[in-house]
Amino acid sequence: TQSTWGSNTVVHKPSFTMLGLLPLLQAAQCSPSASFFGFMGVTSALVFANLGAAYGTAKSGVGISSMGVMRPDLVMRSILPVVMAGVLGIYGLITAVILIQAVKDTAYSLYSGYAHLASGLACGLSSLAAGMAIGIVGDAGVRANGQQPKLFVGMILILIFAEALGLYGLIVALILSQKTAPCSNLG
């Protein structure tokens, strides 16, 4: 760009601040907030997965208790929804342990932090949704199984598809947990 001051013409060379590139260059630095996002990924994986596991266990447990009053012989056979809900908590634990090993206090980029946050959210929220599905199906399924034992296989198939939602989240979380990028301090 050029500007004229009196009779002198001054030529300005474009700089990073003039082009608006300074924020982009600063984003490539090792930001202290990057670790925050990584730790939030760890927390999200564990907390949301355990919320799903707790809801699925509690809701299915209520159905098992209710059904067990009339058909106590079917209680052990109907414990499967509780086991499947508990596995969701293990998904969150696996993801959290993998992520916590990747979070560093130095040389940890924002890209890595965001990828690990996405990883934790993918696992945690998928497990939360799966836990809700397992809880609702488990509650209604074990009650119905107490009245009509032929419904057991159908209930198991529905529970398997509900559990698969959490497994999909775990798979995506494991892939995302491997996404890292180096950072460099430009200052």
Side-chain angles (χ1 to χ4, degrees):
T1 61
Q2 292 184 359
S3 64
T4 306
W5 181 262
S7 62
N8 297 334
T9 302
V10 178
V11 177
H12 298 285
K13 293 182 181 176
S15 68
F16 288 123
T17 52
M18 289 178 66
L19 295 175
L21 295 177
L22 189 59
L24 293 175
L25 290 174
Q26 289 174 339
Q29 291 184 351
C30 296
S31 173
S33 64
S35 296
F36 169 77
F37 293 109
F39 287 126
M40 286 307 295
V42 171
T43 304
S44 298
L46 193 61
V47 170
F48 289 134
N50 284 335
L51 280 172
Y55 181 82
T57 300
K59 187 85 167 142
S60 296
V62 168
I64 293 168
S65 299
S66 177
M67 183 272 308
V69 172
M70 301 304 284
R71 296 288 305 270
D73 56 312
L74 293 178
V75 169
M76 290 310 291
R77 186 178 180 193
S78 299
I79 207 79
L80 190 63
V82 173
V83 173
M84 293 178 82
V87 170
L88 297 173
I90 295 171
Y91 292 167
L93 179 65
I94 291 168
T95 303
V97 167
I98 290 171
L99 291 178
I100 197 67
Q101 292 174 351
V103 177
K104 309 250 186 298
D105 58 347
T106 58
Y108 187 73
S109 67
L110 282 172
Y111 177 86
S112 298
Y114 294 149
H116 294 154
L117 175 62
S119 175
L121 287 172
C123 176
L125 293 177
S126 294
S127 294
L128 178 61
M132 293 176 73
I134 288 171
I136 293 167
V137 170
D139 181 23
V142 297
R143 289 174 196 247
N145 185 44
Q147 294 176 1
Q148 177 55 265
K150 291 180 182 178
L151 296 173
F152 184 75
V153 174
M155 177 188 74
I156 297 303
L157 287 174
I158 295 169
L159 288 170
I160 289 170
F161 285 113
E163 179 80 25
L165 300 175
L167 186 59
Y168 301 153
L170 175 66
I171 292 168
V172 170
L174 293 177
I175 293 168
L176 283 170
S177 71
Q178 303 306 307
K179 299 288 184 185
T180 60
C183 63
S184 60
N185 284 324
L186 301 173

